[in-house]
Amino acid sequence: MKEGKEIRIDSVARVEGHGNIYVRLRNGKVKEVRFEIPEGPRLFETLVLGKEASEVLNIVPRICAICNISHRYAAIRALEKILAVNVPPEVTLLRNMMHYGEMIESHSLHIFFLALPDFLGYPDAIALAEKYPEEVGIGLRLKKFGNYVMEAVAGRMIHGENPTIGGFGRFLSKEEIKSIRDGAEKLLPEAIRTTELLRNLHYSTYAEEGVLFVCLKPPTDAYGFWGDTVMISNGDDRTVEEFRTAIKERIYPHSTAKRTLYREKPYLVGALARMNLLGERLHGAAHEAFQKCYSLSWIRNPLYNNLAQAIEIVFALEEIINTADKILKVKRPPKIVPIKKGEGKGVGAVEAPRGSLFHYYEFKDGLCTNADLIIPTAQNYNAIEKHLTVAAANLFSSSVGEEKAKLELEMVVRAYDPCISCSCHIQKV
């Protein structure tokens, strides 16, 4: 390896948005590693100022097309806190169902079309399909089903307006609920096979390093994707309000997205964090898959996020079946809870596919006066950079060639499934 060498991987492939990896070597040792984010700055918090709650809810999900359901759900939770709106349990059930659909769609897109080609030695999913048509077919069917659930519940696959403050514009019919249930039941065996496929892959150890894990603590003892308390792997429990202020978003010169630390340490959010903190709460086939797949390597190796997502697809399909059975017992569709103009402040939090998502708003005289949106990928940037630094030190001190080293570094970034544009909040005005 040449002295004083710089290595750049511009526009890491198969991730959402633009991110670059920069490595500087001196005397054969890694001196600097950066994960650069060159995209435009966030402006959504400014766009909602002066808007009513219903307008805020229409604007903020546009931050992202992939995890728009999570943004809408987090905003609804925050706005209902501020406006003192309490919805009936059946509304929460249907909201959870749309959320499971997003998890299935997003995770299957990442596993089969962004991450899996690396592990099986192909440049992309199209090339992969020639040798593994059955596996790619499973990925397409899962993704299609996730889109179907979101479209049915939210009104559109992307940026549906049916979920709103106080309930749903239209509650689904029993026939629609049954159709979703049947689809989940049909796909469950294929989702279980996916966990076996990923369990038998080789996971390199170049990036292994312990970091903190963070996720929302569900309101019950079950596994789940929302809550008002944050669990941290160091044993801390913080309310979502406390956690939002504790992580202190900050700006880095090589990133247009803000980043966060907890107690000045990087932390990881997403499926891997949820499995490490909540995995024992799983049940059914998801619990069986977790028991088969989990090892202590999951505490140190970010590549296992891919397998964690596969288990979450199984969980989401099982939960859709259970949730559908509960909704089918509802005798009358719930009406929307009326809202009034209010003021105050509140944090709404859900687990997006890529991790914990926080929406904070302040309202006065019925209008938004302050907003702060903390995105999962922005929280993961420092952990990504830490794992890239460890991987680069191990790779460039070994006999691994430069091209192989670059691929391994890209795989670390892809394992996090970053949504870079979402973290920067790009919007033309």
Side-chain angles (χ1 to χ4, degrees):
M1 190 68 63
K2 289 175 64 176
E3 300 297 330
K5 187 171 183 178
E6 293 182 325
I7 294 171
R8 293 194 62 86
I9 304 171
D10 290 326
S11 296
V12 174
R14 283 182 273 125
V15 298
E16 199 292 324
H18 293 159
N20 311 321
I21 299 172
Y22 170 82
V23 179
R24 182 167 63 85
L25 302 163
R26 187 178 180 187
N27 298 325
K29 294 184 177 180
V30 172
K31 290 298 178 184
E32 184 179 10
V33 175
R34 299 196 302 256
F35 186 47
E36 302 170 341
I37 305 301
E39 294 208 6
R42 58 172 59 185
L43 294 170
F44 268 83
E45 286 98 334
T46 303
L47 288 175
V48 299
L49 297 181
K51 300 291 192 296
E52 295 182 0
S54 58
E55 294 174 301
V56 171
L57 184 59
N58 290 338
I59 292 171
V60 291
R62 268 70 183 175
I63 293 169
C64 185
I66 299 172
C67 43
N68 69 98
I69 291 284
S70 290
H71 279 286
R72 192 170 191 86
Y73 201 174
I76 287 174
R77 284 177 52 74
L79 296 169
E80 288 183 346
K81 277 186 185 179
I82 295 167
L83 301 173
V85 172
N86 293 308
V87 296
E90 48 267 38
V91 168
T92 303
L93 289 173
L94 194 56
R95 286 176 179 173
N96 290 345
M97 183 177 278
M98 70 178 184
H99 204 186
Y100 298 140
E102 181 183 75
M103 288 288 177
I104 295 167
E105 192 278 336
S106 180
H107 285 354
S108 58
L109 169 66
H110 175 244
I111 292 170
F112 289 94
F113 305 103
L114 306 183
L116 195 56
D118 290 327
F119 288 91
L120 297 179
Y122 291 84
D124 52 49
I126 294 174
L128 180 70
E130 292 184 14
K131 181 72 180 294
Y132 295 93
E134 188 176 342
E135 287 77 6
V136 173
I138 291 173
L140 287 170
R141 285 189 288 277
L142 286 168
K143 187 177 183 309
K144 183 178 180 180
F145 177 71
N147 280 330
Y148 166 65
V149 174
M150 289 191 289
E151 183 175 12
V153 181
R156 288 201 300 253
M157 282 190 296
I158 300 171
H159 301 147
E161 299 289 341
N162 194 37
T164 189
I165 303 166
F168 286 89
R170 185 184 72 85
F171 207 78
L172 268 60
S173 67
K174 291 189 183 301
E175 287 71 26
E176 289 170 311
I177 295 293
K178 285 177 183 174
S179 176
I180 292 173
R181 188 193 186 286
D182 291 345
E185 201 166 49
K186 186 177 179 182
L187 283 170
L188 185 55
E190 292 190 333
I192 295 170
R193 282 171 52 197
T194 300
T195 64
E196 284 298 302
L197 170 66
L198 268 72
R199 183 170 74 91
N200 291 313
L201 297 176
H202 170 68
Y203 295 85
S204 65
T205 58
Y206 296 112
E208 287 195 347
E209 178 73 9
V211 294
L212 288 174
F213 294 105
V214 168
C215 76
L216 296 174
K217 187 176 186 177
T220 68
D221 291 336
Y223 198 92
F225 295 136
W226 58 267
D228 290 316
T229 303
V230 179
M231 297 177 70
I232 302 117
S233 56
N234 65 357
D236 290 355
D237 271 8
R238 308 288 291 265
T239 66
V240 291
E241 290 82 6
E242 291 171 343
F243 187 76
R244 187 188 76 86
T245 55
I247 54 179
K248 295 176 184 173
E249 287 184 297
R250 54 202 86 190
I251 297 171
Y252 290 70
H254 58 281
S255 172
T256 52
K258 292 178 184 175
R259 298 184 177 196
T260 59
L261 296 169
Y262 180 71
R263 294 187 184 274
E264 298 303 311
K265 292 181 179 178
Y267 62 93
L268 186 154
V269 297
L272 186 60
R274 295 189 287 263
M275 283 290 156
N276 274 308
L277 293 169
L278 302 173
E280 290 296 336
R281 298 184 178 199
L282 291 164
H283 51 74
H287 184 257
E288 290 176 17
F290 175 76
Q291 296 284 55
K292 276 186 182 178
C293 299
Y294 189 76
S295 72
L296 291 178
S297 296
W298 287 45
I299 298 172
R300 299 173 58 81
N301 193 332
L303 296 182
Y304 283 100
N305 191 52
N306 302 305
L307 185 48
Q309 288 186 340
I311 297 173
E312 283 196 338
I313 291 176
V314 176
F315 167 77
L317 289 169
E318 289 185 305
E319 281 305 298
I320 284 177
I321 295 169
N322 294 334
T323 304
D325 288 341
K326 293 176 183 174
I327 296 176
L328 288 171
K329 295 176 182 175
V330 174
K331 293 182 179 177
R332 293 179 181 174
K335 295 180 179 178
I336 293 181
V337 178
I339 62 172
K340 299 177 181 178
K341 288 185 178 180
E343 60 182 49
K345 55 187 177 182
V347 178
V350 302
E351 287 290 323
R354 290 155 193 81
S356 308
L357 168 66
F358 303 90
H359 277 221
Y360 170 79
Y361 303 103
E362 292 180 20
F363 275 76
K364 186 175 182 181
D365 297 329
L367 301 177
C368 183
T369 57
N370 190 15
D372 183 24
L373 313 178
I374 302 177
I375 310 302
T377 295
Q379 296 174 72
N380 274 335
Y381 280 137
N382 281 320
I384 291 173
E385 212 162 79
K386 182 170 183 175
H387 280 130
L388 282 175
T389 301
V390 172
N394 289 327
L395 287 162
F396 292 111
S397 63
S398 70
S399 58
V400 172
E402 185 171 318
E403 289 307 309
K404 170 68 173 171
K406 286 182 174 179
L407 175 61
E408 291 284 345
L409 293 176
E410 285 196 81
M411 287 175 69
V412 170
V413 174
R414 278 194 282 274
Y416 276 86
D417 190 14
C419 191
I420 296 171
S421 299
C422 183
S423 73
C424 298
H425 301 186
I426 291 175
Q427 175 69 31
K428 290 182 180 179
V429 289

